[in-house]
Amino acid sequence: MIDEDPHTSTEAAAADAGPSQPLPLAGVRVVEFSHMVMGPSCGMILADLGAEVIKVEPRGAGDKTRYLPGSGSGLFPAFNRNKLSVQLDIAEAADREVALTLIDSADVLLENFRVGKMESMGYGYGELAARNPRLIYASLKGFLPGPYGQRTALDEVVQMLGGLAFMTGPPGQPLRAGASVNDIMGGMFGVIGILSALRVREQTGRGQLVNSALFENNAFLVGTHMAQAQLSEEPLRPMPTRRATWAVYDIFLDRDGSQVFVAAVSDGQWRDLCDEFGLTDLAEDPALEHNQGRVDQRERIHAELQAALSRLSLAEIEEKCTRRGLPVAPVNTPADLTSDPHLVASGALAATGLPDGESVDIPLLPLTFDGQRLGLRRNVPAPGEHNAVYRDGNSGTPPDIPDVDLGEERTQSQ
């Protein structure tokens, strides 16, 4: 993946990976001009993979995403670990040469500003590629080129426009998904594009323009529903009222009123469910031997299964289902995940330090390489924390920052 003439960051980035092997993107320099979610998530994945990701923020307070209230307060902590921060007012002549020098040294430029903004400041792909033909310019937008290309987009905008909100909420009540799914997945597609362009550059020696977009990502997400609409004579139903595929694939209540999802999606699982929860009458009914018969009598099955579950605690339901290989899950909130026994025991959470001295538990990438996770190497940087290297000294040499300890006390909350 890595071309010849690696940057001076190679040894430092490789050391971060430990003695066994270098990180996958060690030696790749990324200059990130981004805010909010889509661009920063793309940059963070590259940083986790070992790239030297230099986040360019405005002078002063830095990226405004740092200071969002409410549900936006977790955006900056979640998507800016393992990065370095330099402050430049790239629209000002005084900082232009510093910015261009930094871009000239880069393998990848990443940006997710509104359409035309980078070009208006003299940082369009054509101009920068003329200076640095090896540059991979990743532009993450709301829409790929087309009739909607100039529109302003947000995750919620494309969820409404792209049918995802229709499928998520109950009839007549379109509802955005409970996470920024298009922003994050669009950032992931940006990573895929960048990695592909790096591979092509190994063969051609030249970079290229890579585009990823929210709306087209949303269309990709609802592709199965698009196919269903074309193949079925029935109109699409939102997920809360969709036509049942299996009789048992729903949320039930335990004896204390706690919610638990239970499913049985095969004939074998149906028999195990009946056996485990004492549903003798259902098990012996020949009309329920196969899936369609069970779907036809879904209400009857639900009533008897709910009666059985109402006598048990949540822990007992989980134990019984798990023992028989039946799908089961309590209905958790995201707050519950910081103490989830699987995430904690497997080292999936990183106690990530913030500039104000606080720390938050954030999931690492859901990947392992030879059984090892890509861990936390640097906490979320303060605004302009690395100005001395990338702006004031402009040495092009990455800062000598002690790596974050990857011991148990740093990878999960106690």
Side-chain angles (χ1 to χ4, degrees):
M1 179 63 66
I2 299 170
D3 291 282
E4 296 179 1
D5 189 28
H7 300 300
T8 54
S9 60
T10 303
E11 291 182 3
D16 288 340
S20 59
Q21 61 179 4
L23 289 168
L25 294 185
V28 172
R29 173 174 282 186
V30 179
V31 180
E32 177 188 314
F33 299 89
S34 74
H35 61 162
M36 299 297 281
V37 177
M38 192 183 189
S41 64
C42 180
M44 186 198 71
I45 295 170
L46 296 171
D48 282 5
L49 289 167
E52 175 195 7
V53 178
I54 305 164
K55 182 176 181 65
V56 178
E57 304 187 57
R59 288 180 182 259
D63 186 345
K64 292 181 180 179
T65 311
R66 291 178 178 271
Y67 312 105
L68 292 175
S71 60
S73 62
L75 299 186
F76 202 89
F79 300 116
N80 287 283
R81 63 170 176 251
N82 289 336
K83 297 180 184 178
L84 307 117
S85 172
V86 62
Q87 290 178 297
L88 297 170
D89 288 336
I90 60 174
E92 303 297 327
D95 282 345
R96 179 173 171 79
E97 284 307 312
V98 176
L100 289 174
T101 299
L102 196 58
I103 294 167
D104 288 346
S105 73
D107 297 288
V108 179
L109 182 148
L110 168 63
E111 67 91 13
N112 76 323
F113 293 121
R114 68 177 182 271
V115 175
K117 181 175 181 180
M118 293 292 283
E119 289 78 4
S120 71
M121 296 184 293
Y123 299 98
Y125 171 67
E127 180 174 349
L128 298 182
R131 297 173 57 100
N132 179 6
R134 293 169 57 80
L135 181 68
I136 293 160
Y137 191 110
S139 183
L140 280 56
K141 303 298 184 187
F143 304 90
L144 293 179
Y148 299 163
Q150 300 299 313
R151 287 192 184 185
T152 299
L154 299 168
D155 203 318
E156 197 146 347
V157 167
V158 300
Q159 288 194 38
M160 299 293 174
L161 184 63
L164 182 58
F166 172 86
M167 294 303 300
T168 302
Q173 300 178 50
L175 182 68
R176 70 156 282 166
S180 298
V181 291
N182 290 297
D183 277 314
I184 297 170
M185 190 171 170
M188 292 170 62
F189 273 115
V191 172
I192 294 170
I194 290 167
L195 296 180
S196 301
L198 285 169
R199 181 70 178 91
V200 171
R201 196 182 71 175
E202 290 180 352
Q203 304 167 44
T204 67
R206 300 189 65 83
Q208 61 182 292
L209 175 64
V210 173
N211 291 116
S212 175
L214 296 175
F215 181 58
E216 284 77 4
N217 180 85
N218 188 98
F220 189 84
L221 282 172
V222 300
T224 58
H225 299 306
M226 293 171 64
Q228 177 191 350
Q230 295 168 72
L231 296 172
S232 173
E233 296 180 358
E234 297 181 2
L236 289 176
R237 298 182 186 180
M239 294 296 280
T241 60
R242 65 192 182 276
R243 182 179 177 183
T245 302
W246 300 284
V248 181
Y249 195 87
D250 293 274
I251 295 171
F252 300 88
L253 302 176
D254 75 349
R255 68 186 180 197
D256 301 313
S258 296
Q259 293 181 312
V260 58
F261 173 84
V262 177
V265 297
S266 69
D267 293 341
Q269 287 185 358
W270 166 251
R271 290 189 293 270
D272 288 340
L273 180 79
C274 291
D275 182 55
E276 194 65 40
F277 293 101
L279 306 176
T280 305
D281 290 344
L282 297 180
E284 294 177 350
D285 188 340
L288 305 180
E289 184 176 352
H290 299 295
N291 183 63
Q292 187 58 57
R294 296 192 290 270
V295 170
D296 292 341
Q297 297 194 46
R298 183 168 175 268
E299 290 186 6
R300 171 194 168 196
I301 292 171
H302 273 221
E304 295 199 30
L305 177 57
Q306 181 58 75
L309 298 180
S310 295
R311 296 189 290 268
L312 302 171
S313 68
L314 181 60
E316 289 171 326
I317 295 170
E318 283 193 89
E319 192 278 329
K320 283 177 170 290
C321 288
T322 301
R323 182 170 64 234
R324 300 300 286 266
L326 296 169
V328 64
V331 179
N332 289 328
T333 73
D336 296 323
L337 299 186
T338 56
S339 58
D340 179 86
H342 177 83
L343 295 179
V344 171
S346 63
L349 305 177
T352 306
L354 306 181
D356 63 3
E358 296 291 324
S359 69
V360 289
D361 290 335
I362 301 294
L364 296 170
L365 294 188
L367 295 170
T368 62
F369 290 81
D370 282 340
Q372 298 299 311
R373 290 187 179 273
L374 298 168
L376 176 69
R377 307 190 314 281
R378 296 186 178 97
N379 290 313
V380 174
E385 184 175 328
H386 309 104
N387 285 343
V389 172
Y390 296 107
R391 187 187 73 188
D392 303 331
N394 196 30
S395 67
T397 303
D400 183 17
I401 303 175
D403 292 341
V404 175
D405 182 5
L406 294 182
E408 183 177 355
E409 72 279 3
R410 290 296 299 163
T411 57
Q412 58 196 45
S413 293
Q414 299 299 306

